[in-house]
Amino acid sequence: MSSATSEHDKRRGKAEDLALETDLGWAIRMVSAAFSRVATESVSELPGGPRGYLVLVALAGGEPPSQLALAKEVSLDRTVMTYLLDDLEAHELITRRPDPRDRRARQVLITDTGRTRLKQVRHGLSAAEARLLADLSDQDADQLRTLLSRVAQTAQRESIAPAEADC
């Protein structure tokens, strides 16, 4: 291989590295916009739409968190969380009770009605996700979910850590 050909290949390789379809920011933006569109349609019947859905998912997973812990977990402002929980409670999807460990705090619990609605919404959202992930095998889709979850956890941890360090 001549040195001219080698230089051409290096320049071409760098140009390919800069291609739009290999840019992480572009890919995240495209997927985020498409997912937001299909997900918003799927959860539009829930009080709070996507935010209400995230709250129900977070509550369905285990121990009832305090309102503050829940707000941190789903990355919502405390004031926004209060209004959202009021709306979800008015529709009997959640309930709140005093935290037995700290009577000043309130625990948030998903109701049976909330679990039923979550299951219905999750079914519609799964169909929407399938359309978005149509070009991936089941294994690739599972791997994508796993990797994105890990990146999201890092992003959440990194955005929370500086604020906690200031206290």
Side-chain angles (χ1 to χ4, degrees):
M1 181 186 291
S2 72
S3 64
T5 304
S6 177
E7 275 303 309
H8 174 71
D9 288 345
K10 284 181 186 176
R11 281 195 310 272
R12 192 172 131 232
K14 286 181 182 179
E16 287 173 357
D17 288 345
L18 296 175
L20 194 57
E21 61 271 5
T22 62
D23 185 80
L24 179 63
W26 174 82
I28 289 172
R29 183 170 181 260
M30 294 303 292
V31 171
S32 177
F35 183 78
S36 180
R37 198 170 35 257
V38 299
T40 299
E41 291 170 11
S42 298
V43 300
S44 64
E45 297 298 316
L46 273 179
R51 290 176 174 170
Y53 170 77
L54 289 177
V55 166
L56 293 178
V57 169
L59 295 175
E63 282 293 309
S66 68
Q67 285 185 205
L68 182 58
L70 181 60
K72 285 182 179 180
E73 185 177 359
V74 297
S75 299
L76 283 178
D77 177 78
R78 290 182 313 189
T79 305
V80 172
M81 178 59 76
T82 300
Y83 289 114
L84 178 57
L85 293 179
D86 288 346
D87 203 16
L88 291 167
E89 194 167 35
H91 286 84
E92 300 179 351
L93 302 177
I94 62 116
T95 188
R96 292 178 272 195
R97 68 176 183 207
D99 187 330
R101 295 172 303 244
D102 180 357
R103 304 291 260 160
R104 296 168 297 169
R106 309 239 327 165
Q107 287 182 320
V108 185
L109 298 95
I110 189 169
T111 64
D112 289 340
T113 302
R115 287 185 191 284
T116 300
R117 286 286 300 278
L118 178 59
K119 189 180 288 188
Q120 293 165 348
V121 168
R122 185 68 195 134
H123 180 72
L125 188 55
S126 291
E129 288 175 2
R131 287 195 321 265
L132 186 60
L133 301 175
D135 289 341
L136 299 180
S137 68
D138 289 346
Q139 182 180 1
D140 286 345
D142 288 344
Q143 184 176 19
L144 177 64
R145 282 184 175 90
T146 299
L147 294 172
L148 282 175
S149 178
R150 286 171 46 196
V151 172
Q153 289 170 14
T154 300
Q156 183 181 40
R157 184 178 61 247
E158 294 300 319
S159 69
I160 291 172
E164 289 178 350
D166 292 340
C167 294

